[in-house]
PDB file of all heavy atoms in Angstrom:
ATOM      1  N   GLY A   1     112.033 371.812 163.253  1.00  0.00           N
ATOM      2  CA  GLY A   1     113.275 371.324 163.845  1.00  0.00           C
ATOM      3  C   GLY A   1     113.777 370.089 163.289  1.00  0.00           C
ATOM      4  O   GLY A   1     114.929 369.813 163.306  1.00  0.00           O
ATOM      5  N   TYR A   2     112.899 369.316 162.677  1.00  0.00           N
ATOM      6  CA  TYR A   2     113.225 368.008 162.082  1.00  0.00           C
ATOM      7  C   TYR A   2     113.533 368.232 160.629  1.00  0.00           C
ATOM      8  O   TYR A   2     112.603 368.294 159.795  1.00  0.00           O
ATOM      9  CB  TYR A   2     112.112 366.950 162.295  1.00  0.00           C
ATOM     10  CG  TYR A   2     111.828 366.709 163.755  1.00  0.00           C
ATOM     11  CD1 TYR A   2     110.571 367.080 164.286  1.00  0.00           C
ATOM     12  CD2 TYR A   2     112.740 366.056 164.613  1.00  0.00           C
ATOM     13  CE1 TYR A   2     110.259 366.824 165.622  1.00  0.00           C
ATOM     14  CE2 TYR A   2     112.400 365.813 165.928  1.00  0.00           C
ATOM     15  CZ  TYR A   2     111.185 366.216 166.410  1.00  0.00           C
ATOM     16  OH  TYR A   2     110.870 365.976 167.767  1.00  0.00           O
ATOM     17  N   GLN A   3     114.824 368.429 160.271  1.00  0.00           N
ATOM     18  CA  GLN A   3     115.164 368.862 158.922  1.00  0.00           C
ATOM     19  C   GLN A   3     115.274 367.667 158.013  1.00  0.00           C
ATOM     20  O   GLN A   3     116.004 366.653 158.272  1.00  0.00           O
ATOM     21  CB  GLN A   3     116.516 369.619 158.924  1.00  0.00           C
ATOM     22  CG  GLN A   3     116.889 370.180 157.582  1.00  0.00           C
ATOM     23  CD  GLN A   3     118.150 370.930 157.629  1.00  0.00           C
ATOM     24  OE1 GLN A   3     118.817 371.037 158.658  1.00  0.00           O
ATOM     25  NE2 GLN A   3     118.514 371.617 156.491  1.00  0.00           N
ATOM     26  N   ILE A   4     114.536 367.687 156.855  1.00  0.00           N
ATOM     27  CA  ILE A   4     114.424 366.563 155.940  1.00  0.00           C
ATOM     28  C   ILE A   4     115.676 366.407 155.131  1.00  0.00           C
ATOM     29  O   ILE A   4     116.255 367.338 154.626  1.00  0.00           O
ATOM     30  CB  ILE A   4     113.201 366.746 155.045  1.00  0.00           C
ATOM     31  CG1 ILE A   4     111.897 366.861 155.914  1.00  0.00           C
ATOM     32  CG2 ILE A   4     113.071 365.648 153.979  1.00  0.00           C
ATOM     33  CD1 ILE A   4     110.684 367.367 155.145  1.00  0.00           C
ATOM     34  N   THR A   5     116.076 365.124 154.882  1.00  0.00           N
ATOM     35  CA  THR A   5     117.261 364.834 154.122  1.00  0.00           C
ATOM     36  C   THR A   5     116.986 363.837 153.002  1.00  0.00           C
ATOM     37  O   THR A   5     117.859 363.591 152.151  1.00  0.00           O
ATOM     38  CB  THR A   5     118.333 364.140 154.992  1.00  0.00           C
ATOM     39  OG1 THR A   5     117.874 362.941 155.540  1.00  0.00           O
ATOM     40  CG2 THR A   5     118.792 365.097 156.149  1.00  0.00           C
ATOM     41  N   LYS A   6     115.778 363.375 152.869  1.00  0.00           N
ATOM     42  CA  LYS A   6     115.425 362.392 151.780  1.00  0.00           C
ATOM     43  C   LYS A   6     115.570 363.177 150.482  1.00  0.00           C
ATOM     44  O   LYS A   6     115.130 364.263 150.302  1.00  0.00           O
ATOM     45  CB  LYS A   6     114.014 361.888 151.994  1.00  0.00           C
ATOM     46  CG  LYS A   6     113.628 360.742 151.033  1.00  0.00           C
ATOM     47  CD  LYS A   6     112.297 360.123 151.489  1.00  0.00           C
ATOM     48  CE  LYS A   6     111.894 358.974 150.564  1.00  0.00           C
ATOM     49  NZ  LYS A   6     110.699 358.310 151.051  1.00  0.00           N
ATOM     50  N   PHE A   7     116.180 362.467 149.493  1.00  0.00           N
ATOM     51  CA  PHE A   7     116.474 362.983 148.155  1.00  0.00           C
ATOM     52  C   PHE A   7     117.640 363.958 148.104  1.00  0.00           C
ATOM     53  O   PHE A   7     118.133 364.367 147.042  1.00  0.00           O
ATOM     54  CB  PHE A   7     115.284 363.611 147.513  1.00  0.00           C
ATOM     55  CG  PHE A   7     114.150 362.658 147.224  1.00  0.00           C
ATOM     56  CD1 PHE A   7     112.946 362.828 147.940  1.00  0.00           C
ATOM     57  CD2 PHE A   7     114.249 361.729 146.254  1.00  0.00           C
ATOM     58  CE1 PHE A   7     111.899 362.001 147.634  1.00  0.00           C
ATOM     59  CE2 PHE A   7     113.133 360.897 145.999  1.00  0.00           C
ATOM     60  CZ  PHE A   7     111.993 360.994 146.704  1.00  0.00           C
ATOM     61  N   VAL A   8     118.145 364.401 149.256  1.00  0.00           N
ATOM     62  CA  VAL A   8     119.239 365.383 149.274  1.00  0.00           C
ATOM     63  C   VAL A   8     120.576 364.814 148.844  1.00  0.00           C
ATOM     64  O   VAL A   8     120.928 363.711 149.349  1.00  0.00           O
ATOM     65  CB  VAL A   8     119.360 366.062 150.642  1.00  0.00           C
ATOM     66  CG1 VAL A   8     120.524 367.021 150.702  1.00  0.00           C
ATOM     67  CG2 VAL A   8     118.052 366.763 151.007  1.00  0.00           C
ATOM     68  N   THR A   9     121.335 365.503 147.984  1.00  0.00           N
ATOM     69  CA  THR A   9     122.529 365.063 147.496  1.00  0.00           C
ATOM     70  C   THR A   9     123.717 365.999 147.796  1.00  0.00           C
ATOM     71  O   THR A   9     123.593 366.693 148.797  1.00  0.00           O
ATOM     72  CB  THR A   9     122.504 364.741 145.912  1.00  0.00           C
ATOM     73  OG1 THR A   9     122.187 365.996 145.343  1.00  0.00           O
ATOM     74  CG2 THR A   9     121.456 363.711 145.622  1.00  0.00           C
ATOM     75  N   GLU A  10     124.745 365.972 147.070  1.00  0.00           N
ATOM     76  CA  GLU A  10     125.936 366.777 147.292  1.00  0.00           C
ATOM     77  C   GLU A  10     125.608 368.266 147.274  1.00  0.00           C
ATOM     78  O   GLU A  10     124.719 368.729 146.516  1.00  0.00           O
ATOM     79  CB  GLU A  10     127.035 366.546 146.215  1.00  0.00           C
ATOM     80  CG  GLU A  10     127.477 365.057 146.183  1.00  0.00           C
ATOM     81  CD  GLU A  10     126.692 364.179 145.190  1.00  0.00           C
ATOM     82  OE1 GLU A  10     125.548 364.545 144.935  1.00  0.00           O
ATOM     83  OE2 GLU A  10     127.247 363.217 144.676  1.00  0.00           O
ATOM     84  N   PRO A  11     126.328 369.014 148.063  1.00  0.00           N
ATOM     85  CA  PRO A  11     126.090 370.517 148.137  1.00  0.00           C
ATOM     86  C   PRO A  11     126.231 371.260 146.800  1.00  0.00           C
ATOM     87  O   PRO A  11     125.610 372.357 146.641  1.00  0.00           O
ATOM     88  CB  PRO A  11     127.159 371.014 149.142  1.00  0.00           C
ATOM     89  CG  PRO A  11     127.480 369.829 149.979  1.00  0.00           C
ATOM     90  CD  PRO A  11     127.357 368.594 149.095  1.00  0.00           C
ATOM     91  N   VAL A  12     126.938 370.721 145.861  1.00  0.00           N
ATOM     92  CA  VAL A  12     127.111 371.342 144.541  1.00  0.00           C
ATOM     93  C   VAL A  12     125.751 371.501 143.842  1.00  0.00           C
ATOM     94  O   VAL A  12     125.639 372.362 142.929  1.00  0.00           O
ATOM     95  CB  VAL A  12     128.083 370.540 143.657  1.00  0.00           C
ATOM     96  CG1 VAL A  12     127.473 369.208 143.199  1.00  0.00           C
ATOM     97  CG2 VAL A  12     128.523 371.357 142.445  1.00  0.00           C
ATOM     98  N   TYR A  13     124.731 370.767 144.231  1.00  0.00           N
ATOM     99  CA  TYR A  13     123.396 370.851 143.611  1.00  0.00           C
ATOM    100  C   TYR A  13     122.419 371.639 144.498  1.00  0.00           C
ATOM    101  O   TYR A  13     121.229 371.552 144.275  1.00  0.00           O
ATOM    102  CB  TYR A  13     122.839 369.429 143.450  1.00  0.00           C
ATOM    103  CG  TYR A  13     123.775 368.553 142.499  1.00  0.00           C
ATOM    104  CD1 TYR A  13     124.537 367.564 143.066  1.00  0.00           C
ATOM    105  CD2 TYR A  13     123.815 368.841 141.206  1.00  0.00           C
ATOM    106  CE1 TYR A  13     125.303 366.794 142.199  1.00  0.00           C
ATOM    107  CE2 TYR A  13     124.675 368.116 140.357  1.00  0.00           C
ATOM    108  CZ  TYR A  13     125.411 367.077 140.884  1.00  0.00           C
ATOM    109  OH  TYR A  13     126.304 366.307 140.085  1.00  0.00           O
ATOM    110  N   ASP A  14     122.937 372.475 145.391  1.00  0.00           N
ATOM    111  CA  ASP A  14     122.090 373.269 146.274  1.00  0.00           C
ATOM    112  C   ASP A  14     121.355 374.442 145.654  1.00  0.00           C
ATOM    113  O   ASP A  14     120.380 374.931 146.150  1.00  0.00           O
ATOM    114  CB  ASP A  14     122.794 373.652 147.566  1.00  0.00           C
ATOM    115  CG  ASP A  14     123.044 372.597 148.567  1.00  0.00           C
ATOM    116  OD1 ASP A  14     122.629 371.447 148.296  1.00  0.00           O
ATOM    117  OD2 ASP A  14     123.766 372.790 149.506  1.00  0.00           O
ATOM    118  N   THR A  15     121.878 374.916 144.521  1.00  0.00           N
ATOM    119  CA  THR A  15     121.261 376.115 143.860  1.00  0.00           C
ATOM    120  C   THR A  15     119.873 375.705 143.367  1.00  0.00           C
ATOM    121  O   THR A  15     119.629 374.539 142.947  1.00  0.00           O
ATOM    122  CB  THR A  15     122.158 376.471 142.647  1.00  0.00           C
ATOM    123  OG1 THR A  15     123.443 376.756 143.130  1.00  0.00           O
ATOM    124  CG2 THR A  15     121.522 377.714 142.014  1.00  0.00           C
ATOM    125  N   ASN A  16     118.932 376.634 143.453  1.00  0.00           N
ATOM    126  CA  ASN A  16     117.579 376.352 143.046  1.00  0.00           C
ATOM    127  C   ASN A  16     117.480 375.821 141.579  1.00  0.00           C
ATOM    128  O   ASN A  16     118.048 376.397 140.677  1.00  0.00           O
ATOM    129  CB  ASN A  16     116.727 377.677 143.134  1.00  0.00           C
ATOM    130  CG  ASN A  16     115.297 377.369 143.039  1.00  0.00           C
ATOM    131  OD1 ASN A  16     114.786 376.223 143.189  1.00  0.00           O
ATOM    132  ND2 ASN A  16     114.491 378.462 142.708  1.00  0.00           N
ATOM    133  N   GLY A  17     116.823 374.669 141.450  1.00  0.00           N
ATOM    134  CA  GLY A  17     116.622 374.140 140.175  1.00  0.00           C
ATOM    135  C   GLY A  17     117.755 373.269 139.604  1.00  0.00           C
ATOM    136  O   GLY A  17     117.731 372.822 138.448  1.00  0.00           O
ATOM    137  N   GLN A  18     118.743 372.924 140.493  1.00  0.00           N
ATOM    138  CA  GLN A  18     119.896 372.190 140.038  1.00  0.00           C
ATOM    139  C   GLN A  18     119.988 370.749 140.490  1.00  0.00           C
ATOM    140  O   GLN A  18     120.905 370.022 140.129  1.00  0.00           O
ATOM    141  CB  GLN A  18     121.198 372.909 140.425  1.00  0.00           C
ATOM    142  CG  GLN A  18     121.344 374.318 139.839  1.00  0.00           C
ATOM    143  CD  GLN A  18     121.411 374.280 138.300  1.00  0.00           C
ATOM    144  OE1 GLN A  18     122.187 373.524 137.742  1.00  0.00           O
ATOM    145  NE2 GLN A  18     120.479 374.974 137.701  1.00  0.00           N
ATOM    146  N   SER A  19     119.022 370.338 141.328  1.00  0.00           N
ATOM    147  CA  SER A  19     119.069 368.901 141.718  1.00  0.00           C
ATOM    148  C   SER A  19     118.770 367.953 140.548  1.00  0.00           C
ATOM    149  O   SER A  19     117.906 368.271 139.719  1.00  0.00           O
ATOM    150  CB  SER A  19     117.968 368.659 142.814  1.00  0.00           C
ATOM    151  OG  SER A  19     118.405 369.356 144.022  1.00  0.00           O
ATOM    152  N   ILE A  20     119.486 366.856 140.524  1.00  0.00           N
ATOM    153  CA  ILE A  20     119.319 365.940 139.398  1.00  0.00           C
ATOM    154  C   ILE A  20     119.048 364.495 139.754  1.00  0.00           C
ATOM    155  O   ILE A  20     119.032 363.589 138.918  1.00  0.00           O
ATOM    156  CB  ILE A  20     120.655 365.922 138.512  1.00  0.00           C
ATOM    157  CG1 ILE A  20     121.840 365.475 139.369  1.00  0.00           C
ATOM    158  CG2 ILE A  20     120.902 367.290 137.921  1.00  0.00           C
ATOM    159  CD1 ILE A  20     123.067 365.162 138.633  1.00  0.00           C
ATOM    160  N   THR A  21     118.614 364.251 140.980  1.00  0.00           N
ATOM    161  CA  THR A  21     118.204 362.908 141.386  1.00  0.00           C
ATOM    162  C   THR A  21     116.876 362.604 140.657  1.00  0.00           C
ATOM    163  O   THR A  21     115.938 363.432 140.614  1.00  0.00           O
ATOM    164  CB  THR A  21     117.922 362.803 142.906  1.00  0.00           C
ATOM    165  OG1 THR A  21     117.122 363.944 143.283  1.00  0.00           O
ATOM    166  CG2 THR A  21     119.213 362.805 143.665  1.00  0.00           C
ATOM    167  N   ASP A  22     116.874 361.400 140.021  1.00  0.00           N
ATOM    168  CA  ASP A  22     115.634 360.921 139.395  1.00  0.00           C
ATOM    169  C   ASP A  22     114.618 360.801 140.527  1.00  0.00           C
ATOM    170  O   ASP A  22     114.928 360.417 141.621  1.00  0.00           O
ATOM    171  CB  ASP A  22     115.789 359.595 138.732  1.00  0.00           C
ATOM    172  CG  ASP A  22     116.668 359.723 137.481  1.00  0.00           C
ATOM    173  OD1 ASP A  22     116.918 360.810 136.964  1.00  0.00           O
ATOM    174  OD2 ASP A  22     117.206 358.633 137.006  1.00  0.00           O
ATOM    175  N   LEU A  23     113.336 361.042 140.212  1.00  0.00           N
ATOM    176  CA  LEU A  23     112.259 361.008 141.158  1.00  0.00           C
ATOM    177  C   LEU A  23     111.346 359.821 140.852  1.00  0.00           C
ATOM    178  O   LEU A  23     110.839 359.709 139.798  1.00  0.00           O
ATOM    179  CB  LEU A  23     111.412 362.284 141.149  1.00  0.00           C
ATOM    180  CG  LEU A  23     112.197 363.599 141.523  1.00  0.00           C
ATOM    181  CD1 LEU A  23     111.363 364.784 141.359  1.00  0.00           C
ATOM    182  CD2 LEU A  23     112.815 363.480 142.880  1.00  0.00           C
ATOM    183  N   PRO A  24     111.133 358.935 141.867  1.00  0.00           N
ATOM    184  CA  PRO A  24     110.371 357.728 141.594  1.00  0.00           C
ATOM    185  C   PRO A  24     108.868 358.020 141.466  1.00  0.00           C
ATOM    186  O   PRO A  24     108.305 358.844 142.251  1.00  0.00           O
ATOM    187  CB  PRO A  24     110.637 356.876 142.914  1.00  0.00           C
ATOM    188  CG  PRO A  24     110.959 357.900 143.992  1.00  0.00           C
ATOM    189  CD  PRO A  24     111.675 359.014 143.228  1.00  0.00           C
ATOM    190  N   LEU A  25     108.277 357.422 140.510  1.00  0.00           N
ATOM    191  CA  LEU A  25     106.796 357.510 140.227  1.00  0.00           C
ATOM    192  C   LEU A  25     106.140 356.175 140.645  1.00  0.00           C
ATOM    193  O   LEU A  25     104.988 356.248 141.168  1.00  0.00           O
ATOM    194  CB  LEU A  25     106.510 357.800 138.792  1.00  0.00           C
ATOM    195  CG  LEU A  25     107.098 359.089 138.229  1.00  0.00           C
ATOM    196  CD1 LEU A  25     107.039 359.141 136.719  1.00  0.00           C
ATOM    197  CD2 LEU A  25     106.419 360.261 138.864  1.00  0.00           C
ATOM    198  N   PHE A  26     106.757 355.093 140.443  1.00  0.00           N
ATOM    199  CA  PHE A  26     106.264 353.763 140.939  1.00  0.00           C
ATOM    200  C   PHE A  26     107.446 353.026 141.597  1.00  0.00           C
ATOM    201  O   PHE A  26     108.509 352.946 140.903  1.00  0.00           O
ATOM    202  CB  PHE A  26     105.678 352.962 139.833  1.00  0.00           C
ATOM    203  CG  PHE A  26     104.326 353.471 139.311  1.00  0.00           C
ATOM    204  CD1 PHE A  26     104.333 354.381 138.217  1.00  0.00           C
ATOM    205  CD2 PHE A  26     103.167 353.132 139.921  1.00  0.00           C
ATOM    206  CE1 PHE A  26     103.097 354.831 137.772  1.00  0.00           C
ATOM    207  CE2 PHE A  26     101.933 353.633 139.455  1.00  0.00           C
ATOM    208  CZ  PHE A  26     101.962 354.474 138.423  1.00  0.00           C
ATOM    209  N   ARG A  27     107.284 352.444 142.708  1.00  0.00           N
ATOM    210  CA  ARG A  27     108.346 351.793 143.397  1.00  0.00           C
ATOM    211  C   ARG A  27     107.813 350.429 143.875  1.00  0.00           C
ATOM    212  O   ARG A  27     106.640 350.322 144.382  1.00  0.00           O
ATOM    213  CB  ARG A  27     108.801 352.692 144.576  1.00  0.00           C
ATOM    214  CG  ARG A  27     110.065 352.175 145.231  1.00  0.00           C
ATOM    215  CD  ARG A  27     110.761 353.364 145.888  1.00  0.00           C
ATOM    216  NE  ARG A  27     110.112 353.992 147.020  1.00  0.00           N
ATOM    217  CZ  ARG A  27     110.161 353.589 148.319  1.00  0.00           C
ATOM    218  NH1 ARG A  27     110.878 352.577 148.638  1.00  0.00           N
ATOM    219  NH2 ARG A  27     109.512 354.199 149.299  1.00  0.00           N
ATOM    220  N   TYR A  28     108.594 349.436 143.825  1.00  0.00           N
ATOM    221  CA  TYR A  28     108.159 348.077 144.248  1.00  0.00           C
ATOM    222  C   TYR A  28     107.784 348.085 145.714  1.00  0.00           C
ATOM    223  O   TYR A  28     106.866 347.301 146.075  1.00  0.00           O
ATOM    224  CB  TYR A  28     109.345 347.110 144.022  1.00  0.00           C
ATOM    225  CG  TYR A  28     109.058 345.663 144.353  1.00  0.00           C
ATOM    226  CD1 TYR A  28     107.993 344.952 143.639  1.00  0.00           C
ATOM    227  CD2 TYR A  28     109.772 344.963 145.313  1.00  0.00           C
ATOM    228  CE1 TYR A  28     107.745 343.629 143.924  1.00  0.00           C
ATOM    229  CE2 TYR A  28     109.518 343.643 145.554  1.00  0.00           C
ATOM    230  CZ  TYR A  28     108.483 342.961 144.885  1.00  0.00           C
ATOM    231  OH  TYR A  28     108.218 341.681 145.140  1.00  0.00           O
ATOM    232  N   ALA A  29     108.363 348.890 146.512  1.00  0.00           N
ATOM    233  CA  ALA A  29     108.014 348.985 147.953  1.00  0.00           C
ATOM    234  C   ALA A  29     106.506 349.345 148.119  1.00  0.00           C
ATOM    235  O   ALA A  29     105.829 348.789 148.987  1.00  0.00           O
ATOM    236  CB  ALA A  29     108.860 349.988 148.671  1.00  0.00           C
ATOM    237  N   GLU A  30     106.088 350.277 147.232  1.00  0.00           N
ATOM    238  CA  GLU A  30     104.633 350.576 147.310  1.00  0.00           C
ATOM    239  C   GLU A  30     103.744 349.355 147.003  1.00  0.00           C
ATOM    240  O   GLU A  30     102.735 349.146 147.665  1.00  0.00           O
ATOM    241  CB  GLU A  30     104.279 351.727 146.319  1.00  0.00           C
ATOM    242  CG  GLU A  30     102.838 352.165 146.418  1.00  0.00           C
ATOM    243  CD  GLU A  30     102.265 352.668 145.080  1.00  0.00           C
ATOM    244  OE1 GLU A  30     103.112 353.002 144.159  1.00  0.00           O
ATOM    245  OE2 GLU A  30     101.073 352.661 144.905  1.00  0.00           O
ATOM    246  N   VAL A  31     104.129 348.599 146.011  1.00  0.00           N
ATOM    247  CA  VAL A  31     103.392 347.389 145.629  1.00  0.00           C
ATOM    248  C   VAL A  31     103.294 346.427 146.868  1.00  0.00           C
ATOM    249  O   VAL A  31     102.150 345.945 147.132  1.00  0.00           O
ATOM    250  CB  VAL A  31     104.037 346.694 144.445  1.00  0.00           C
ATOM    251  CG1 VAL A  31     103.398 345.306 144.211  1.00  0.00           C
ATOM    252  CG2 VAL A  31     104.008 347.565 143.218  1.00  0.00           C
ATOM    253  N   LEU A  32     104.376 346.245 147.592  1.00  0.00           N
ATOM    254  CA  LEU A  32     104.329 345.389 148.787  1.00  0.00           C
ATOM    255  C   LEU A  32     103.411 345.972 149.890  1.00  0.00           C
ATOM    256  O   LEU A  32     102.679 345.168 150.455  1.00  0.00           O
ATOM    257  CB  LEU A  32     105.699 345.219 149.303  1.00  0.00           C
ATOM    258  CG  LEU A  32     106.747 344.548 148.381  1.00  0.00           C
ATOM    259  CD1 LEU A  32     108.049 344.392 149.091  1.00  0.00           C
ATOM    260  CD2 LEU A  32     106.297 343.285 147.796  1.00  0.00           C
ATOM    261  N   LEU A  33     103.402 347.254 149.995  1.00  0.00           N
ATOM    262  CA  LEU A  33     102.524 347.894 151.004  1.00  0.00           C
ATOM    263  C   LEU A  33     101.084 347.727 150.549  1.00  0.00           C
ATOM    264  O   LEU A  33     100.223 347.465 151.340  1.00  0.00           O
ATOM    265  CB  LEU A  33     102.919 349.376 151.144  1.00  0.00           C
ATOM    266  CG  LEU A  33     104.205 349.604 151.914  1.00  0.00           C
ATOM    267  CD1 LEU A  33     104.735 350.984 151.598  1.00  0.00           C
ATOM    268  CD2 LEU A  33     103.971 349.451 153.451  1.00  0.00           C
ATOM    269  N   ASN A  34     100.824 347.964 149.268  1.00  0.00           N
ATOM    270  CA  ASN A  34      99.464 347.843 148.716  1.00  0.00           C
ATOM    271  C   ASN A  34      98.961 346.429 148.947  1.00  0.00           C
ATOM    272  O   ASN A  34      97.771 346.146 149.335  1.00  0.00           O
ATOM    273  CB  ASN A  34      99.478 348.070 147.236  1.00  0.00           C
ATOM    274  CG  ASN A  34      99.782 349.503 146.859  1.00  0.00           C
ATOM    275  OD1 ASN A  34      99.791 350.385 147.709  1.00  0.00           O
ATOM    276  ND2 ASN A  34     100.075 349.793 145.607  1.00  0.00           N
ATOM    277  N   TYR A  35      99.814 345.393 148.704  1.00  0.00           N
ATOM    278  CA  TYR A  35      99.420 344.000 148.821  1.00  0.00           C
ATOM    279  C   TYR A  35      99.046 343.699 150.280  1.00  0.00           C
ATOM    280  O   TYR A  35      97.983 343.113 150.573  1.00  0.00           O
ATOM    281  CB  TYR A  35     100.616 343.145 148.413  1.00  0.00           C
ATOM    282  CG  TYR A  35     100.461 341.670 148.606  1.00  0.00           C
ATOM    283  CD1 TYR A  35      99.657 340.922 147.779  1.00  0.00           C
ATOM    284  CD2 TYR A  35     101.186 340.977 149.640  1.00  0.00           C
ATOM    285  CE1 TYR A  35      99.492 339.559 147.894  1.00  0.00           C
ATOM    286  CE2 TYR A  35     100.970 339.613 149.775  1.00  0.00           C
ATOM    287  CZ  TYR A  35     100.141 338.904 148.940  1.00  0.00           C
ATOM    288  OH  TYR A  35     100.031 337.563 149.089  1.00  0.00           O
ATOM    289  N   ALA A  36      99.869 344.102 151.166  1.00  0.00           N
ATOM    290  CA  ALA A  36      99.597 343.797 152.603  1.00  0.00           C
ATOM    291  C   ALA A  36      98.327 344.524 153.088  1.00  0.00           C
ATOM    292  O   ALA A  36      97.458 343.869 153.772  1.00  0.00           O
ATOM    293  CB  ALA A  36     100.768 344.176 153.497  1.00  0.00           C
ATOM    294  N   GLU A  37      98.160 345.713 152.693  1.00  0.00           N
ATOM    295  CA  GLU A  37      96.997 346.449 153.135  1.00  0.00           C
ATOM    296  C   GLU A  37      95.687 345.950 152.505  1.00  0.00           C
ATOM    297  O   GLU A  37      94.678 345.788 153.179  1.00  0.00           O
ATOM    298  CB  GLU A  37      97.100 347.984 152.806  1.00  0.00           C
ATOM    299  CG  GLU A  37      95.968 348.801 153.330  1.00  0.00           C
ATOM    300  CD  GLU A  37      96.080 350.261 153.090  1.00  0.00           C
ATOM    301  OE1 GLU A  37      97.228 350.716 152.619  1.00  0.00           O
ATOM    302  OE2 GLU A  37      95.095 350.991 153.274  1.00  0.00           O
ATOM    303  N   ALA A  38      95.720 345.610 151.224  1.00  0.00           N
ATOM    304  CA  ALA A  38      94.533 345.115 150.558  1.00  0.00           C
ATOM    305  C   ALA A  38      94.108 343.742 151.240  1.00  0.00           C
ATOM    306  O   ALA A  38      92.885 343.548 151.478  1.00  0.00           O
ATOM    307  CB  ALA A  38      94.769 344.928 149.090  1.00  0.00           C
ATOM    308  N   LYS A  39      95.035 342.926 151.487  1.00  0.00           N
ATOM    309  CA  LYS A  39      94.714 341.612 152.129  1.00  0.00           C
ATOM    310  C   LYS A  39      94.195 341.802 153.540  1.00  0.00           C
ATOM    311  O   LYS A  39      93.304 341.166 154.049  1.00  0.00           O
ATOM    312  CB  LYS A  39      95.934 340.694 152.094  1.00  0.00           C
ATOM    313  CG  LYS A  39      96.363 340.315 150.669  1.00  0.00           C
ATOM    314  CD  LYS A  39      96.991 338.934 150.651  1.00  0.00           C
ATOM    315  CE  LYS A  39      95.935 337.838 150.635  1.00  0.00           C
ATOM    316  NZ  LYS A  39      96.467 336.498 150.388  1.00  0.00           N
ATOM    317  N   ALA A  40      94.751 342.786 154.296  1.00  0.00           N
ATOM    318  CA  ALA A  40      94.356 343.035 155.695  1.00  0.00           C
ATOM    319  C   ALA A  40      92.930 343.614 155.686  1.00  0.00           C
ATOM    320  O   ALA A  40      92.104 343.151 156.447  1.00  0.00           O
ATOM    321  CB  ALA A  40      95.296 344.023 156.347  1.00  0.00           C
ATOM    322  N   GLU A  41      92.638 344.525 154.784  1.00  0.00           N
ATOM    323  CA  GLU A  41      91.276 345.135 154.701  1.00  0.00           C
ATOM    324  C   GLU A  41      90.252 344.093 154.177  1.00  0.00           C
ATOM    325  O   GLU A  41      89.088 344.117 154.617  1.00  0.00           O
ATOM    326  CB  GLU A  41      91.266 346.289 153.771  1.00  0.00           C
ATOM    327  CG  GLU A  41      92.126 347.485 154.282  1.00  0.00           C
ATOM    328  CD  GLU A  41      91.435 348.276 155.428  1.00  0.00           C
ATOM    329  OE1 GLU A  41      90.368 347.767 155.899  1.00  0.00           O
ATOM    330  OE2 GLU A  41      91.943 349.272 155.838  1.00  0.00           O
ATOM    331  N   LEU A  42      90.675 343.137 153.339  1.00  0.00           N
ATOM    332  CA  LEU A  42      89.738 342.095 152.940  1.00  0.00           C
ATOM    333  C   LEU A  42      89.573 341.005 153.901  1.00  0.00           C
ATOM    334  O   LEU A  42      88.682 340.144 153.832  1.00  0.00           O
ATOM    335  CB  LEU A  42      90.307 341.529 151.593  1.00  0.00           C
ATOM    336  CG  LEU A  42      89.358 340.830 150.650  1.00  0.00           C
ATOM    337  CD1 LEU A  42      88.188 341.683 150.271  1.00  0.00           C
ATOM    338  CD2 LEU A  42      90.111 340.325 149.401  1.00  0.00           C
TER     339      LEU A  42
END
């Protein structure tokens, strides 16, 4: 029932295989999360 919208763009790209949003592999937000968790665990 909770329909996901992350990465979803205009309806023109709804056909299978037609989405063109770049997909993140490394994001600065992850680095900040890593930093806080590593320090908390240490």
Side-chain angles (χ1 to χ4, degrees):
Y2 300 114
Q3 187 175 3
I4 299 167
T5 61
K6 190 169 177 175
F7 295 111
V8 176
T9 58
E10 300 92 332
V12 69
Y13 300 108
D14 284 356
T15 305
N16 192 19
Q18 295 302 305
S19 293
I20 59 167
T21 46
D22 292 343
L23 298 177
L25 300 168
F26 290 93
R27 191 156 65 89
Y28 184 61
E30 181 211 343
V31 173
L32 298 185
L33 288 160
N34 295 346
Y35 175 73
E37 185 179 346
K39 297 210 77 172
E41 293 286 6
L42 200 57

